[in-house]
Amino acid sequence: MYDHLTLIGGRAHPQLAADIGKFLNIPLAAIEVADFPDGEISVKLNQNIRGRDVFLIQPTGPPVNDNLIELLILIDACKRASAERITAVLPYFGYARQDRKDAGRVPITSKLVANLITKAGADRVLAMDLHAAQIQGFFDIPFDHLVASPILDEYFASLNIPPEELVIISPDEGSIKRVLQHVEHLGGSLAIVDKRRSSALHTRQANLIGGPIEGKTALIFDDMISTAGSIVGSVKVAKEHGAKKVYVGTSHGVFCGPAAARLREAPIEEIVATDSLPLQADQQFDNLRIISVATLLGEAIRRIHRNESVSYLFD
Ligand code: R5P
């Protein structure tokens, strides 16, 4: 059914790679990935991939540096094994928040990561919900950028919240454009939280622009939840302004550090995230719903492999 298509899953998210394989009805390639005693990574491809169209599935979430280096080593292995084309599939792109010089003497690490992936030998990239869409421009190779919002919206639409009772909240001014897409799909009004970040771990939110939200159901969408400081701060603001119920939607559940503890305590009906990243055992909580993007990624892989349009998947 697929000529020369090979799927390879790194160790970052074996379940997602397996689910994509299941959707496409092709087995994952036989590979061995292990750690040397000193922490270096060893990779061996146990099957011939000469002339194949290879898709390497490896979100670069925590442990970010290990997963990134493993991706680079896998690309190198495929290149040297004479793969015809290598696509790095990054359901989550780590270091995306370091995409500009926002202070003196700081790096642009997203650009460095783009250089590394390209230099290692990737021919193209397939990613989903980059923190900043312009990161695509850091690559001089073809880049397909998927969005999970239709999948999240499908779930929230199933809750049948009347638009006049719905307010969709952007947790900061940087997310307004993204959040407006949800407003278009789900109806409701828009409100924006005024967020100030004091450190990587702490944010301060107080004001709400827009509304009123008194007695309404609030949906807060963020591209990622990392320590959950931003989202929990927004939930607090929504509640202080009289929201009756608060739901949270996110593409990337990074859930690191204090995230689980913060989210467990927050007055949230449900947190809905995609499976772009694996869920760590200690980061589980009761009101978390995971929606799979395996079909979205699988369909994109199928289309890229067959040189069909991928833009159809943006809706
Ligand atoms: C920031 O611009 C992002 O969109 C997220 O709001 C932020 O990175 C989430 O991080 P945390 O959960 O640690 O507040």
Side-chain angles (χ1 to χ4, degrees):
M1 186 179 173
Y2 299 106
D3 257 3
H4 307 302
L5 171 58
T6 295
L7 276 187
I8 295 181
R11 289 182 298 178
H13 201 343
Q15 184 61 55
L16 180 62
D19 290 346
I20 294 173
K22 219 175 282 168
F23 170 78
L24 291 169
N25 203 18
I26 56 170
L28 294 176
I31 63 164
E32 279 170 44
V33 187
D35 294 317
F36 285 114
D38 61 359
E40 291 180 0
I41 295 170
S42 85
V43 162
K44 179 155 181 5
L45 308 178
N46 284 333
Q47 69 182 61
N48 177 21
I49 60 158
R50 195 174 282 274
R52 309 283 301 185
D53 187 13
V54 174
F55 290 81
L56 275 173
I57 301 154
Q58 179 86 333
T60 50
V64 179
N65 299 329
D66 289 351
N67 286 331
L68 174 61
I69 290 289
E70 187 175 297
L71 171 69
L72 300 175
I73 296 172
L74 282 165
I75 295 172
D76 188 69
C78 293
K79 198 87 199 160
R80 292 174 195 281
S82 304
E84 187 185 279
R85 184 172 74 164
I86 302 165
T87 302
V89 182
L90 294 153
Y92 171 78
F93 185 96
Y95 283 113
R97 286 177 289 179
Q98 297 186 43
D99 62 330
R100 65 194 180 284
K101 286 191 75 166
D102 55 1
R105 300 178 296 281
V106 296
I108 303 180
T109 314
S110 315
K111 171 63 179 156
L112 173 65
V113 169
N115 287 346
L116 290 170
I117 291 172
T118 310
K119 212 57 194 162
D123 297 295
R124 49 189 310 138
V125 176
L126 171 62
M128 192 185 85
D129 284 324
L130 289 168
H131 174 64
Q134 57 271 25
I135 289 172
Q136 293 168 77
F138 291 173
F139 288 85
D140 283 329
I141 53 178
F143 195 115
D144 290 297
H145 186 208
L146 303 175
V147 289
S149 56
I151 292 176
L152 294 173
D153 287 346
E154 196 179 342
Y155 172 71
F156 285 112
S158 76
L159 300 180
N160 293 318
I161 305 165
E164 63 280 7
E165 288 174 23
L166 180 64
V167 59
I168 303 191
I169 300 183
S170 174
D172 53 42
E173 96 281 352
S175 302
I176 297 174
K177 219 171 145 201
R178 211 179 340 243
V179 169
L180 270 174
Q181 288 171 356
H182 294 285
V183 177
E184 264 173 38
H185 290 149
L186 297 170
S189 55
L190 171 74
I192 303 145
V193 172
D194 174 14
K195 173 177 111 175
R196 314 280 161 105
R197 187 176 277 287
S198 45
S199 71
L201 205 61
H202 294 107
T203 52
R204 194 165 42 82
Q205 294 100 327
N207 304 321
L208 189 85
I209 304 156
I213 69 169
E214 178 86 41
K216 293 193 177 181
T217 296
L219 300 188
I220 309 178
F221 286 102
D222 208 347
D223 61 316
M224 67 168 83
I225 298 178
S226 186
T227 66
S230 306
I231 212 77
V232 169
S234 298
V235 172
K236 201 166 154 253
V237 171
K239 279 289 186 186
E240 282 165 2
H241 283 75
K244 183 174 67 176
K245 287 182 179 173
V246 180
Y247 289 84
V248 164
T250 188
S251 301
H252 307 298
V254 184
F255 303 136
C256 62
R262 284 173 168 174
L263 291 166
R264 275 188 205 113
E265 280 168 24
I268 304 172
E269 299 298 313
E270 197 171 31
I271 299 150
V272 184
T274 80
D275 59 352
S276 66
L277 289 165
L279 198 59
Q280 311 302 330
D282 59 345
Q283 297 286 342
Q284 308 268 4
F285 30 99
D286 291 343
N287 56 347
L288 175 64
R289 177 182 293 269
I290 299 291
I291 299 186
S292 184
V293 284
T295 302
L296 175 70
L297 290 162
E299 182 61 22
I301 289 171
R302 193 181 71 76
R303 285 169 176 268
I304 292 168
H305 174 66
R306 293 183 169 168
N307 289 325
E308 290 172 7
S309 167
V310 172
S311 57
Y312 155 86
L313 298 172
F314 302 157
D315 301 319

